C-alpha cells in the first residue's frame, strides 16, 4: 500500500465513542494519506489513565472499521509503551523542572494564551532532584518565537513565553502527558504528515521544541477546521458529543466529506464505504478545505 514516503496517522483518545468531529479528522487524515499513496496508521492514545477506557477503545475501532477506515499496520497502544516515554524524559532531564503548583493556585493570575491559561513559570527555579513520583514535571521552553508553515493554515507564529507556556510532560499522578507521548510515537512510527484538528495548531510549537531537543524529525502538519455544536463549541467527548451511528456509515462519510468541502458528486449513501473512500481519495483537495477559524 505504501508506495511513497508519506506516513500519516489518526490517534484518538479512548475517553468516549467516535463522534462526528473525530470522524472528520479521521477521514481527512486518511484521504490525505491515500491521495499521496501513503500509509495510514491508527494509534490509541491512552496514557491518560483516568479518562481512557477499554470499552471506548473497542467502540472507536469498531466505528472506524465500519466506515472502512482500517490501519495499514499494527495499532500502537500507548499504555503498552510507557518505557519509551520514560526514556525520553531521561534524555530531557536538563530541560525539566519540578512543579508543586496546583492549577487553582496559578490560573487566577495567569493570562490567556493560544492553548488556554499560560503557566507563569512559578516553579521554574526548582531543582529536579531525583525526579520523584507524585510531582509534576514541566518543560522549560526557550524564550523565542516559534515559526512553522502549516499545509492549510499557512505561516504560523507563536511566542513560546507569552502564548504557549511551559507544558507538563509528566503529571502528579504519574501519567505521561500527551505533549510528550505524541512526539515520541510520531518519531518511532516514522510519521511524516500529521493531519488533525485546528484546536491543536498552537500545540505544534511544543512538539517542535521537543523534536529539536530529542533529535527527532519534524513532520509536516495540516490542521482541519473544527466541527461545532449548536452552541458553537467544538464537538468533543468532554462536551458529550453524540456517537456516530455505525449503521449509517456511508451517509456519515458523505456528511463528513461535505463538511470538509470535498467533491461528493456522483456519490450516494447507498454506495459502500470502500467505494466512497476510493473516489474521495482520488478527488482529495487540500485547497478546498474550509478556512480555519479559532
Amino acid at each position: 500500500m505504501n508506495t511513497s514516503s508519506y506516513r500519516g496517522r489518526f490517534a484518538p483518545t479512548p475517553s468516549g465513542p467516535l463522534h462526528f468531529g473525530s470522524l472528520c479528522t479521521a477521514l481527512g487524515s486518511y484521504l490525505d494519506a491515500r491521495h499521496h499513496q501513503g500509509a495510514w496508521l491508527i494509534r490509541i492514545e491512552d496514557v491518560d489513565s483516568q479518562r481512557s477506557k477499554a470499552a471506548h477503545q473497542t467502540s472507536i475501532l469498531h466505528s472506524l472499521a465500519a466506515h472502512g477506515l482500517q490501519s495499514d499496520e499494527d495499532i500502537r497502544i500507548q499504555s503498552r509503551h510507557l518505557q519509551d516515554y520514560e526514556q525520553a524524559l531521561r534524555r530531557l532531564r536538563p530541560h525539566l523542572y519540578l512543579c508543586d503548583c496546583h492549577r487553582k493556585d496559578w490560573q487566577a493570575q495567569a493570562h490567556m494564551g493560544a492553548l488556554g491559561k499560560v503557566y507563569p513559570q512559578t516553579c521554574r527555579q526548582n531543582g529536579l532532584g531525583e525526579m520523584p513520583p507524585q510531582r509534576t514535571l514541566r518543560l522549560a521552553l526557550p524564550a523565542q518565537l516559534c515559526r512553522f508553515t502549516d499545509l492549510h493554515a499557512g505561516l504560523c507564529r507563536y511566542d513560546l513565553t507569552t502564548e504557549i507556556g511551559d507544558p507538563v510532560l509528566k503529571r502528579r499522578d504519574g501519567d505521561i502527558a500527551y505533549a510528550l507521548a505524541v512526539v515520541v510515537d510520531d518519531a518511532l512510527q516514522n510519521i511524516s504528515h500529521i493531519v488533525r484538528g485546528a484546536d491543536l495548531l498552537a500545540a505544534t510549537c511544543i512538539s517542535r521544541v521537543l523534536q529539536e531537543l530529542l533529535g527527532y524529525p519534524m513532520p509536516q502538519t495540516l490542521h482541519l477546521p473544527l466541527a461545532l455544536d449548536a452552541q458553537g463549541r467544538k464537538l468533543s467527548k468532554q462536551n458529550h458529543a453524540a456517537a456516530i451511528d455505525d449503521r449509517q456509515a456511508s451517509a456519515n462519510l458523505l456528511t463528513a466529506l461535505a463538511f470538509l468541502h470535498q467533491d461528493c458528486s456522483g456519490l450516494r449513501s447507498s454506495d459502500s464505504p470502500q467505494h466512497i473512500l476510493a473516489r474521495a481519495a482520488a478527488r482529495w483537495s487540500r485547497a478546498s478545505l474550509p478556512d480555519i477559524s479559532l
Side-chain angles (χ1 to χ4, degrees), residues 123-135:
C123 293
R124 227 192 208 212
Q125 302 308 312
N126 284 356
L128 197 55
E130 296 299 321
M131 295 174 66
Q134 298 182 330
R135 298 284 292 279

Side-chain angles (χ1 to χ4, degrees), residues 93-122:
R93 184 183 177 91
H95 309 280
L96 303 178
Y97 62 91
L98 293 171
C99 180
D100 296 317
C101 298
H102 291 275
R103 185 173 297 182
K104 62 180 181 180
D105 297 331
W106 64 265
Q107 285 206 342
Q109 58 179 313
H111 67 270
M112 188 62 69
L115 294 170
K117 291 290 186 73
V118 176
Y119 179 68
Q121 302 183 2
T122 307

Side-chain angles (χ1 to χ4, degrees), residues 34-92:
R34 286 292 182 264
H35 185 77
H36 294 93
Q37 294 78 51
W40 187 72
L41 283 60
I42 296 173
R43 175 195 308 152
I44 298 297
E45 297 194 333
D46 63 342
V47 286
D48 188 331
S49 60
Q50 298 301 312
R51 295 174 57 215
S52 300
K53 306 296 180 185
H56 294 319
Q57 175 181 316
T58 300
S59 172
I60 288 170
L61 294 177
H62 180 275
S63 292
L64 290 172
H67 289 76
L69 302 168
Q70 295 183 298
S71 183
D72 291 325
E73 298 177 9
D74 291 342
I75 296 171
R76 180 177 172 90
I77 311 295
Q78 282 185 335
S79 59
R80 300 176 185 172
H81 302 278
L82 298 180
Q83 70 279 3
D84 292 333
Y85 316 128
E86 292 291 348
Q87 182 180 24
L89 274 177
R90 289 191 290 271
R91 293 176 59 193
L92 292 166

